[in-house]
Structure formats: C-alpha cells, structure tokens
Amino acid sequence: MRQQEKWWQKEVIYQIYPRSFYDSNQDGIGDIPGIIEKLDYLSDLGVTSLWICPIFQSPMADNGYDISDYFAISEEFGTLEDVKRLIAEAKARGIKIILDLVVNHTSDEHAWFQEALRDPKSKYRDYYIFKEGTEAPNNWRSIFGGSVWEKLPNEDIFYYHTFHKKQPDLNWENPALREEVYQMVTTWLEMGIAGFRIDAITFIKKDLTFKSQPADGVDGLVKCTKTSRNQPGIEVFLKELNERCFQKYDCVTVAEAPGVPYDQLDQFIGPDGFFSMIFDFKHADLDVASGSEWFKRVAWTPEDLFQILEESQLAIQTSGWGAPFIENHDQPRATSKYLLNQATNPLAVKAIGLMYFFLRGTPFIYQGQELGMINFERDGIDAFDDISSIDQYHRGMAEGLTADEALQIINLRSRDNSRTPVQWTAEPTVGFTEGTPWLPIAERSEVRNAAHQIATPDSIFQFYKAMIALKQNPALETLTLGEIAFPERQGKPVFLYRREDAGASYLIVVSLSEMRETITLERPVKAVHLYNSQDYTIDQHLLTLPAFGALVIEEEK
Ligand code: NOJ
C-alpha cells in the first residue's frame, strides 16, 4: 500500500554550492544574483527545488558552515533582498528554495560565542560547551583533525568543537539555546522557503561523561563519532525541533544524519519521524574505511555498490522515504569515483545517473553532475583549499603514507573536487567568472560544459533532462511512487531494480560492464521509455546491452 503522498515526494532537488555556481559581479566568487541569472537554465533542466548550501554571514573557515549571524547574508553572496528576490524569481518558475540549517555549531565569530568569551557569567556561556582544566578534557578527535577541545588563550579553559576550532559546538542541553534555534528556524520558514537540509544534526547530543576512549590513531586520539554521534537522548532534541518548527509548516526536511543504524530509521523518517528524509552515505563512502578516513582506501566492485544500494533502499522503504544522490559538496565527482578510467565516457556517466535517479525517494542532483564534471589532479597540497583535505593529507603521512601516496588520495577524495566552478562554457574561466575563480577550475573542456551540452541532442545534460521529464510525467507516476524491488542480479555487473504498483511496473537496467552483456528478462516488455544507447536488442526474454548500456523498461503487468 502507498503511504499518504507528500508534495516533496515528487520533487527533483538540485544542490547549489553558491561559491562555485555562477559569479555575477566578477569577484571570482559565485553569488545569489548569479543563481537568479541561471534560474532559466535550472528551469529548462526541469528541477523543482534548489538546496542552497549556507549563504549566511560567515568568516568562511568552512565555506559558510561556520555561521556568524543566522539573520544576515554573507556579503560575498549578496543581501537579504537578493535572497527574497531569489525566492520570488524561483517561485515564478515553479522552483522552491531549501536552505541549509547549521545548528550543531556556529562560528567562533558569532555574537553568542564572542559574548560567552567576553563575559563568563553571561547566559551565552552555557550556549556552548566549556570545561576547565590544564589539559584537554579527553582524547576525542574532531572531524577535521586534532582534539575536539580548543584552549582559550591565557586561561585554563577549553571549548568543544566537533569540526574546526572556528566551529564551536552549541550546547543543546540548554533549553534557552534551543529556544533561540527554534525562533531562527521559524523566521526563515516564515520568509517563504520550502524547508531545510539539516547539517550534521546527529552530532548535537554528546556522551556527557566526556570520558577518554582507547586511541585509534598514532596521534593518541579517537574519532569523536563513537561518543558524540547519534547518542541516546538525541531523540528528545530532534522530536522537539520537529514539533516546535517543522510540523507547523508543510516543509521538507532532509537531514545529514550519518550514524543512524537501519533499525532506527523509523524514528527518523517513519510516519512520525523527525525528518522527511535523511541521506544515507554508505554507497558514497564505499571506497574508504570507516566513513571519512580517506587515507584508508578500500577496494570495491560494482557488485558491492549494487548490494549497498539495495540494502539501503530496502531498509528505507520499510520506514519511509529516501534521498538518493551520487554527489554533493563533500564528495569527489561520482564520475571519477565510480567510473575510474571511464569517467569521461558519456555512456557510463549516463548509466550511473540512471543507477540512482529512479531509486525510491526524492533524487538530488549536485551542480555540474548533469554535465558529467570530473575530478581534478592537483600536484601539491598547497593547491587545496578544503580544511578536511589538508588534515587527511597530514594524518595519512603520520600513519605511514609517503607524500606522493597521501597526495594521490587527496586528489581522489578531496571535497574541493566538487567545489570547483561549474563549467558553463569552454572559455578559460569556464564562463563562471571574468575574474579569477576563488578555486581553480577542474578542467577546461570542449564537451563538459553547459553551453555545448545544451546544444547537443544526446549530451549528458539532455539525458538528465529526459530522466527528470520522465519522472514528472503524470502517466508514469509509478516510477516515483511505486514500491521498489530488486530482481536477482544474474552474476553480471548489471544493476536491476523495479518500481511497481497495482497499475504498472518499470524495470531499470544499468550495466557497469565494459563488455556487451545479456540478461534474462522475467516479464515481457511493454515499452522502452529511456535509453542511453540505441545499441541494445530485446529478443523475447533476452536483453543484450552495449557496454554501460542503461534502460528504463515498462513491463507487461
Ligand atoms: C557537513 C557539511 O556538509 C560539510 O561541508 C561541513 O564541513 C560539515 N558538515 C560541518 O558543518
């Protein structure tokens, strides 16, 4: 049986990293007027919502994920008026705006933190986590490396930060702090946004014993995820956040919630869950051990990838709705990660698009993904901007890698890979700016740019456009709302999934094989709605696909 339908189940969400999307004022940094200028492009592509990474006032230690004022817009991105104009202009094209909610931490330059430092007796002191001592209170390692504790200059006092030292964690145990957060969230919802992507939300509850744990690295520290991610008691905060803010609006919420085991999904995305959906990162991190330790590489096969996707989808379907994606601003390009030496093969790029796009959930497309953008190759650590890349490079060497090995891994994994400017044209600065881009471009390509692909009938852009159109075709609603099932994979690198309800049945077939493959079809074919290559044959129940062939088949019921 279908769950009650929600408007956000039919959305196609496009993620914008504003620094790198489009620069309207030629200062080398993308901005909000730049997004407005490209709304027609997005509307032509067919997406219905935009998730925009943080645009608030920030010293940019983590490119906006360090907010110093939740009510002001970063000058380099524009003004509050620009945001209002963006909401209105997007709405005029049937596009909704989703903002990024970063409430695990603020910037150390936020007025609350500054006041907490200035006056230890102020109420703001308890908005953060301070501990007295001459040494760090424990051996937990922050996500970006080093201790989670930063000592105040000239005082025997430390404050806690899950991420960078310029991102002090908020103390969610304090009801007054929570109240401030709820008011801020409500203000933005009142302004007409459609909802939030919610940053690092499973970190808001810590193990309050703050006990040291056995070290897991040569630095004597232990990754803080074991003691500060999805800890018992977090449900109290998340339920309250949902009741006080989200429930009052018909908004969409998608949480970055790593560390939620599948048997707890119900609490998060079930009928009374805290969020509309959460991202599952297992397939995105299949090439690294234990989440984000990039320097510990893991070998994988297409079969592993398919298995992870299948398990994730079946678990999510039991409780609620998914948020399928293959790229975001924290990941390298999916082309380079999943396709390796085939990263620039348009057929293969379209195949991985189809691999995830019709999974059960609301699909996300990250800027440039629809153009098949690829990773860069930098030749020294100085060329990197991302704090996480710099940390992983040094930690990798401390753990025994040579400088070359560490650099190679950073090139493969750096978050900068997806943060390079969107390639609009084949010009030297790829049509992103006439100034100097804040981050060097990934490549200047005659084919991997929007101008070329808009004008080319069988481009990757056109394929994404076709996938979106198919999803939005009311006659094919089953492709969005139907149940998902996974037919047996027949021992070949060919992924199969079925979307089905009482009225219709669709089979998505995606080959990641470099050779022709033949598979057996369980049911007669009624129609083929989409393919990336005409070079397939269907002979009774046998389907033969070219290398990286991918199809959407409608099956006879
Ligand atoms: C997750 C965000 O996606 C990432 O870019 C950021 O660095 C951390 N959270 C900290 O906010």
Side-chain angles (χ1 to χ4, degrees):
M1 244 192 28
R2 271 187 195 166
Q3 295 175 319
Q4 203 197 343
E5 276 175 36
K6 302 279 197 315
W7 66 265
W8 36 261
Q9 292 181 315
K10 293 187 174 167
E11 296 295 291
V12 175
I13 303 181
Y14 186 94
Q15 183 192 348
I16 290 185
Y17 195 70
R19 286 184 87 73
S20 307
F21 188 64
Y22 183 62
D23 176 17
S24 74
N25 61 355
Q26 317 309 338
D27 64 355
I29 299 173
D31 44 49
I32 297 160
I35 301 174
I36 297 173
E37 278 190 46
K38 294 293 181 185
L39 282 173
D40 286 337
Y41 167 85
L42 296 165
S43 161
D44 177 42
L45 179 59
V47 299
T48 55
S49 287
L50 306 179
W51 150 27
I52 303 177
C53 286
I55 49 175
F56 311 99
Q57 185 179 295
S58 163
M60 299 285 164
D62 188 19
N63 289 345
Y65 283 95
D66 47 322
I67 296 173
S68 55
D69 186 341
Y70 288 106
F71 299 105
I73 303 302
S74 156
E75 262 179 44
E76 50 191 43
F77 292 149
T79 63
L80 195 55
E81 282 315 304
D82 292 330
V83 176
K84 289 182 180 162
R85 197 157 60 86
L86 171 64
I87 295 172
E89 291 275 352
K91 191 174 176 193
R93 292 164 177 82
I95 296 177
K96 305 168 193 74
I97 301 294
I98 298 169
L99 293 183
D100 215 308
L101 180 63
V102 188
V103 287
N104 173 68
H105 46 269
T106 66
S107 162
D108 63 340
E109 296 180 31
H110 193 287
W112 297 340
F113 193 73
Q114 287 301 311
E115 195 53 25
L117 291 185
R118 200 189 59 79
D119 176 7
K121 296 212 161 46
S122 93
K123 68 169 186 174
Y124 297 111
R125 191 73 170 198
D126 193 48
Y127 276 26
Y128 295 89
I129 304 167
F130 287 94
K131 295 258 180 242
E132 282 180 26
T134 49
E135 298 199 342
N138 62 31
N139 69 340
W140 301 359
R141 184 190 304 111
S142 76
I143 301 293
F144 295 150
S147 171
V148 294
W149 299 101
E150 181 68 14
K151 193 172 175 308
L152 296 185
N154 311 320
E155 282 183 87
D156 287 339
I157 293 176
F158 290 78
Y159 69 86
Y160 186 101
H161 58 92
T162 300
F163 295 92
H164 193 261
K165 66 180 179 191
K166 282 189 68 64
Q167 295 168 297
D169 278 43
L170 289 166
N171 176 19
W172 275 70
E173 306 292 335
N174 180 333
L177 172 272
R178 300 205 300 273
E179 198 57 42
E180 297 241 28
V181 168
Y182 304 153
Q183 279 175 23
M184 179 272 287
V185 170
T186 305
T187 305
W188 277 104
L189 286 169
E190 283 292 326
M191 223 179 282
I193 63 165
F196 291 104
R197 175 269 187 182
I198 303 160
D199 187 67
I201 198 67
T202 38
F203 285 96
I204 61 175
K205 177 84 186 179
K206 280 78 180 162
D207 170 359
L208 298 175
T209 67
F210 289 108
K211 277 198 196 127
S212 283
Q213 301 291 327
D216 67 5
V218 293
D219 56 4
L221 303 178
V222 55
K223 197 168 179 177
C224 68
T225 46
K226 298 190 181 100
T227 42
S228 69
R229 197 175 70 178
N230 201 28
Q231 293 297 298
I234 194 171
E235 65 283 358
V236 177
F237 301 153
L238 296 181
K239 189 163 182 284
E240 192 179 82
L241 171 65
N242 181 37
E243 285 173 359
R244 291 292 311 282
C245 303
F246 307 145
Q247 262 182 30
K248 299 190 173 157
Y249 297 80
D250 189 17
C251 68
V252 62
T253 53
V254 50
E256 189 197 34
V260 177
Y262 288 157
D263 61 10
Q264 284 179 23
L265 278 175
D266 219 38
Q267 268 197 317
F268 281 77
I269 55 168
D272 300 315
F274 312 132
F275 305 109
S276 314
M277 45 193 143
I278 66 174
F279 292 120
D280 186 2
F281 294 96
K282 291 207 178 59
H283 66 290
D285 288 334
L286 93 169
D287 60 333
V288 291
S290 64
S292 57
E293 301 292 10
W294 303 342
F295 59 86
K296 295 183 190 164
R297 301 280 301 164
V298 170
W300 59 274
T301 63
E303 179 66 23
D304 298 329
L305 173 59
F306 303 156
Q307 188 61 28
I308 292 171
L309 289 173
E310 175 173 335
E311 282 168 18
S312 167
Q313 280 278 296
L314 293 176
I316 290 169
Q317 173 160 265
T318 314
S319 304
W321 192 250
F325 72 97
I326 51 172
E327 289 191 7
N328 66 34
H329 65 293
D330 292 331
Q331 291 284 332
R333 290 290 178 179
T335 45
S336 302
K337 178 165 57 188
Y338 294 127
L339 298 172
L340 311 167
N341 65 351
Q342 296 288 326
T344 59
N345 174 350
L347 273 191
V349 177
K350 293 171 190 170
I352 56 168
L354 200 50
M355 175 182 78
Y356 91 100
F357 194 80
F358 291 103
L359 292 174
R360 191 169 172 281
T362 302
F364 285 70
I365 300 170
Y366 179 72
Q367 62 184 36
Q369 179 187 322
E370 77 280 16
L371 306 173
M373 283 178 64
I374 57 171
N375 281 358
F376 51 58
E377 179 104 35
R378 309 280 199 229
D379 53 16
I381 188 66
D382 293 347
F384 289 82
D385 170 80
D386 168 32
I387 41 185
S388 193
S389 304
I390 295 163
D391 168 55
Q392 290 282 319
Y393 174 79
H394 291 296
R395 279 193 60 215
M397 287 197 293
E399 298 279 348
L401 298 180
T402 65
D404 280 352
E405 287 165 342
L407 182 65
Q408 196 195 352
I409 287 174
I410 300 312
N411 267 317
L412 287 173
R413 259 280 151 190
S414 176
R415 307 193 300 177
D416 283 349
N417 276 305
S418 53
R419 299 176 179 186
T420 59
V422 169
Q423 292 159 202
W424 296 103
T425 68
E427 290 162 307
T429 46
V430 296
F432 162 72
T433 184
E434 280 163 27
T436 306
W438 73 276
L439 189 66
I441 59 172
E443 60 163 354
R444 185 178 156 198
S445 163
E446 293 298 327
V447 287
R448 280 176 294 286
N449 72 70
H452 172 79
Q453 295 204 19
I454 290 167
T456 306
D458 64 350
S459 66
I460 297 163
F461 174 87
Q462 300 294 353
F463 189 77
Y464 268 85
K465 198 171 157 174
M467 287 199 296
I468 296 169
L470 209 57
K471 193 169 183 68
Q472 286 163 348
N473 182 341
L476 276 60
E477 208 180 55
T478 307
L479 265 176
T480 294
L481 298 174
E483 295 282 293
I484 194 160
F486 294 86
E488 219 177 301
R489 279 199 293 277
Q490 309 183 16
K492 301 185 174 156
V494 179
F495 189 44
L496 298 167
Y497 58 98
R498 176 175 287 128
R499 303 298 308 274
E500 184 172 23
D501 60 16
S505 172
Y506 299 91
L507 183 70
I508 288 87
V509 186
V510 176
S511 171
L512 292 192
S513 171
E514 291 187 28
M515 302 181 311
R516 281 186 91 75
E517 300 286 356
T518 299
I519 60 155
T520 306
L521 298 172
E522 287 170 1
R523 303 180 187 174
V525 172
K526 188 171 170 192
V528 174
H529 289 283
L530 186 68
Y531 49 80
N532 62 349
S533 158
Q534 271 182 328
D535 188 20
Y536 66 86
T537 59
I538 299 174
D539 183 7
Q540 310 263 4
H541 58 280
L542 291 183
L543 166 66
T544 301
L545 294 160
F548 297 103
L551 302 172
V552 178
I553 291 172
E554 182 170 359
E555 301 175 308
E556 295 282 359
K557 280 291 281 184

